[in-house]
Amino acid sequence: MWSFIHKLGSPPWFFRFGGSLVRWLLPLTLILLLVGAFWGLLVAPPDFRQGNSYRIIYIHVPAAVVALAGYYVMALAGAISLIWRIKMADIAMKAAAPVGAVLTGIALVTGAIWGKPTWGTWWVWDARITSMLILFFLYLGVVALFEAYENKAAAAKACAVLSLVGTVNIPIIYKSVDWWYSLHQPASIKFTGESAIDASMLYPLLLMIVAFYGLFAVTVVMNMRAELIWHHRQSAWVRQWAGLD
Amino acid sequence: MHPRRKQRLVWVSLIVVLSSAAIGLTAFALRDNINLFYPPADVVAGKAPSDRNIRLGGMVVEGSIERSDTNLTTQFVVTDYEGSVAVRYTGILPDLFAEGQGVVAEGRLDGEGVLVATQVLAKHDENYMPPEVAAALEGKSKASVAPVSP
């Protein structure tokens, strides 16, 4: 266990490990995405009140769920980077930020597209939507902060502090619909008790959530590998991998 | 753990705890502003300002919708089962607007306590089900209610 964690910090080892991880996780994720999308968009029944417009849930909810979970991944990498000063943690943090930003953006845009026919408005400043917008800015802030520093170690430190401060937003987003009066409805998927969404609609949704987790993992690991070969472009192992030596 | 790392772990924990406390307390202090709407009970109790636009949120009372024959004006009653407020709105209502469904109406209270709305939004609930299941559920609830009525 510990030797595995130690090995994760080694660039050539992680590069190879990440490569083999992507090789099987990428096709698996694509299959899950295709099956989930087909099931959700074509097989699942329409909703009794919304008709077919509810089907955007199969993109909106997975994107939002993984955007929230991905923030914890980024913040955890930030904490590891601050405490143990492991370069690999900086790289993980830097790799997760743009992926999280894109997922949050997808959740915001699909939410607006659904909101127009359902609520009658594209946008409303309620607690859920506003806190989600803040999450989007936090992700973008981490991306921008990394680029703002010449010294990469200082950049990683600043980004780690920003992502740690931002973690408070995650429970706020999650509980916003329960703590305050909002236009956004409360969660349909319940961890305890029966979900408020029918099983025939829930299963494809759960499948899509798993697929989006896979998509997040694949894109972050691919980002990290790209960052690693750039970072170590002068090293013997990269030159060997690229066939230069 | 190495003492320096331990110290850094303490700092990291402090960053998270203190910033969470600061933002949490701010959100708690601003809770009235974070709430998107006033429930009808608060409006009835006079907690909502009458000199500016407010949002009112609740359920549309069954059988309360009155549509004008000559224009697009609709009047209905919004309730949270603790208080009720009448709403008057001229314009096109969202597709999901219906009796027994959630709405958020934005507008100003007139002298008689009626909210003259400039915008009405449908508030969707968390229930998702196929039409057959909804029909079956409705049949069941009607069947269970039926013996009570003479």
Side-chain angles (χ1 to χ4, degrees):
Chain A
M1 174 71 190
W2 277 112
S3 76
F4 176 73
I5 290 174
H6 276 284
K7 275 193 269 182
L8 281 180
S10 145
W13 194 88
F14 185 92
F15 185 78
R16 276 197 306 275
F17 169 74
S20 45
L21 187 79
V22 167
R23 212 163 299 132
W24 65 266
L25 193 56
L26 181 62
L28 182 71
T29 300
L30 290 177
I31 290 169
L32 284 177
L33 274 177
L34 278 174
V35 172
F38 179 78
W39 190 354
L41 300 182
L42 294 167
V43 180
D47 181 60
F48 74 120
R49 195 163 285 130
Q50 303 172 59
N52 284 316
S53 71
Y54 93 95
R55 292 183 197 276
I56 206 161
I57 199 175
Y58 295 112
I59 304 293
H60 176 77
V61 170
V65 165
V66 179
L68 263 63
Y71 195 90
Y72 277 131
V73 172
M74 185 176 79
L76 189 68
I80 292 171
S81 152
L82 277 183
I83 298 168
W84 284 279
R85 302 280 152 85
I86 296 170
K87 283 244 170 60
M88 193 62 71
D90 301 358
I91 290 170
M93 182 166 53
K94 192 182 175 189
V99 183
V102 168
L103 287 170
T104 314
I106 290 173
L108 286 169
V109 169
T110 51
I113 292 170
W114 178 82
K116 185 62 186 169
T118 313
W119 294 336
T121 183
W122 299 100
W123 188 265
V124 64
W125 292 100
D126 86 342
R128 170 58 69 82
I129 301 171
T130 309
S131 55
M132 205 62 189
L133 185 67
I134 292 171
L135 181 73
F136 186 57
F137 291 149
L138 278 169
Y139 272 129
L140 290 184
V142 171
V143 173
L145 205 53
F146 252 113
E147 301 306 322
Y149 280 83
E150 202 64 52
N151 177 348
K152 289 301 153 196
K157 215 182 235 179
C159 289
V161 172
L162 176 63
S163 40
L164 284 168
V165 169
T167 50
V168 62
N169 195 31
I170 304 300
I172 289 179
I173 295 174
Y174 183 63
K175 297 300 282 181
S176 55
V177 287
D178 302 322
W179 286 344
W180 299 290
Y181 297 124
S182 62
L183 188 61
H184 194 289
Q185 67 268 32
S188 296
I189 304 174
K190 298 192 173 74
F191 292 108
T192 52
E194 207 180 332
S195 287
I197 174 166
D198 192 78
S200 59
M201 301 159 157
L202 176 65
Y203 292 138
L205 180 57
L206 294 177
L207 195 67
M208 284 300 270
I209 293 175
V210 172
F212 267 66
Y213 270 111
L215 198 60
F216 179 80
V218 164
T219 31
V220 169
V221 169
M222 285 169 89
N223 260 354
M224 287 176 72
R225 292 183 82 225
E227 183 72 24
L228 277 174
I229 44 172
W230 175 249
H231 203 82
H232 296 278
R233 58 193 179 279
Q234 310 291 0
S235 314
W237 67 268
V238 174
R239 296 184 64 84
Q240 209 171 8
W241 169 79
L244 293 173
D245 284 341
Chain B
M1 200 188 260
H2 194 280
R4 271 186 58 201
R5 285 176 192 155
K6 202 168 208 169
Q7 196 186 3
R8 292 201 289 247
L9 177 68
V10 172
W11 276 113
V12 166
S13 315
L14 273 179
I15 291 174
V16 173
V17 170
L18 292 180
S19 61
S20 301
I23 294 165
L25 286 172
T26 311
F28 183 71
L30 294 173
R31 62 192 177 280
D32 288 345
N33 292 309
I34 297 173
N35 283 329
L36 185 75
F37 54 80
Y38 289 95
D42 281 8
V43 176
V44 171
K47 285 181 192 160
S50 55
D51 56 341
R52 58 186 171 87
N53 268 12
I54 58 159
R55 289 197 201 90
L56 167 78
M59 288 285 174
V60 179
V61 175
E62 301 268 353
S64 74
I65 300 178
E66 291 167 32
R67 288 197 160 88
S68 160
D69 296 331
T70 50
N71 59 19
L72 285 173
T73 301
T74 311
Q75 186 153 342
F76 52 92
V77 178
V78 173
T79 184
D80 59 354
Y81 307 107
E82 287 170 33
S84 301
V85 175
V87 177
R88 192 162 57 238
Y89 174 65
T90 306
I92 296 168
L93 291 157
D95 289 351
L96 263 69
F97 176 86
E99 290 174 351
Q101 295 300 309
V103 284
V104 174
E106 183 178 355
R108 197 186 280 244
L109 290 167
D110 70 0
E112 287 126 41
V114 174
L115 188 87
V116 182
T118 51
Q119 187 187 38
V120 173
L121 302 175
K123 182 170 161 42
H124 187 261
D125 63 20
E126 70 271 35
N127 296 309
Y128 288 77
M129 56 184 124
E132 310 87 70
V133 177
L137 274 181
E138 196 159 322
K140 212 161 51 180
S141 69
K142 266 185 190 145
S144 62
V145 168
V148 182
S149 57

